[in-house]
Amino acid sequence: MTITYEFGDGLYVNLTNRCDCACIFCIRKSDSEAIFAHDLWLPKEPTREEALEDILNWDLPTYSELVFCGFGEPSYRIDDIVWLCDRLREAVPNLPPIRLNTNGHASLIHGRNVAPELAGRLDRVSISLNASNKADYCEVTRPRDREKAWDAMLDFTREAARYVPEVALTVVDFEKSEEELSACRALADELGVILRVRTYAD
Ligand code: SF4
């Protein structure tokens, strides 16, 4: 069971397979050997204690970031992520920045505004924007809660920016026109966050 793995110069943490989306590009649907070599599909979710033990096996200060990412949507485990951040901050001097990679549905999933709980725990949050408008977003990410998920993602972004030092919306440049990217930039500006345009990798 792979709870932690290196990617680039960061250390990634995988806590769940669960997700409320079914993105058309999701790697969980891919049969790529590279992906399955990582054995990221969890036969069972690790407990928070198992995850802590696994994370502490690595020389954390040598990484550029510690990233809660996961094969699914990590914010299903937001209570455990908060707990893990507290334990790690107590246990490890010179901890690298901690980032959450998310679809931005945490508050929707949990039925409460979780953003205040991120203060002092996370240094960075990256939220997948995926599209410049609600209709395209729903088509690409196929969220369980449909249009509500787009609004929830934008609300979460706005709220997270109040509590976390660095919040970014991310979009992949694949099949995106300059117009769409400009609309994404405008959305990010309106929400007071950074827009990161990532290059598509097949
Ligand atoms: S939000 Fe992430 S994990 Fe969920 S379906 Fe989309 S790409 Fe996959």
Side-chain angles (χ1 to χ4, degrees):
M1 174 161 80
T2 303
I3 303 171
T4 45
Y5 57 96
E6 294 170 302
F7 187 71
D9 48 14
L11 185 71
Y12 284 67
V13 185
N14 175 28
L15 295 178
T16 187
N17 303 324
R18 288 180 281 166
C19 190
D20 62 325
C21 288
C23 299
I24 55 174
F25 51 78
C26 184
I27 59 165
R28 299 188 308 167
K29 290 163 27 125
S30 166
D31 57 2
S32 157
E33 280 178 20
I35 290 159
F36 283 96
H38 277 309
D39 189 22
L40 287 178
W41 187 267
L42 295 163
K44 73 167 188 66
E45 289 189 355
T47 63
R48 51 171 65 174
E49 290 81 9
E50 285 170 336
L52 180 63
E53 193 183 333
D54 198 298
I55 296 167
L56 288 174
N57 280 333
W58 300 85
D59 186 6
L60 296 173
T62 62
Y63 294 97
S64 63
E65 283 185 307
L66 178 68
V67 186
F68 289 98
C69 186
F71 213 31
E73 167 49 41
S75 70
Y76 270 89
R77 306 274 317 259
I78 200 70
D79 294 343
D80 295 323
I81 289 173
V82 162
W83 182 88
L84 283 164
C85 289
D86 288 346
R87 299 294 82 74
L88 290 167
R89 289 188 186 284
E90 285 163 9
V92 186
N94 305 319
L95 199 64
I98 304 179
R99 176 158 62 97
L100 173 68
N101 255 7
T102 176
N103 64 13
H105 297 171
S107 299
L108 180 67
I109 290 166
H110 295 285
R112 68 176 196 274
N113 178 14
V114 305
E117 298 160 39
L118 309 182
R121 271 80 183 232
L122 296 175
D123 300 290
R124 301 170 177 165
V125 179
S126 297
I127 301 158
S128 305
L129 177 60
N130 288 312
S132 59
N133 61 74
K134 190 183 283 192
D136 290 351
Y137 179 81
C138 289
E139 199 177 312
V140 169
T141 65
R142 301 183 291 187
R144 182 192 61 197
D145 294 288
R146 317 230 16 104
E147 285 85 1
K148 221 171 137 188
W150 164 263
D151 297 327
M153 179 269 296
L154 295 181
D155 286 347
F156 177 79
T157 303
R158 194 181 292 108
E159 279 294 302
R162 296 178 60 202
Y163 299 100
V164 178
E166 194 181 312
V167 177
L169 285 170
T170 63
V171 67
V172 178
D173 62 1
F174 182 64
E175 290 183 348
K176 291 271 182 309
S177 65
E178 244 332 293
E179 240 176 24
E180 287 174 290
L181 291 175
S182 297
C184 292
R185 248 174 236 117
L187 257 178
D189 286 349
E190 195 186 313
L191 295 167
V193 302
I194 303 159
L195 179 76
R196 290 228 167 81
V197 181
R198 291 158 47 219
T199 307
Y200 175 74
D202 196 357

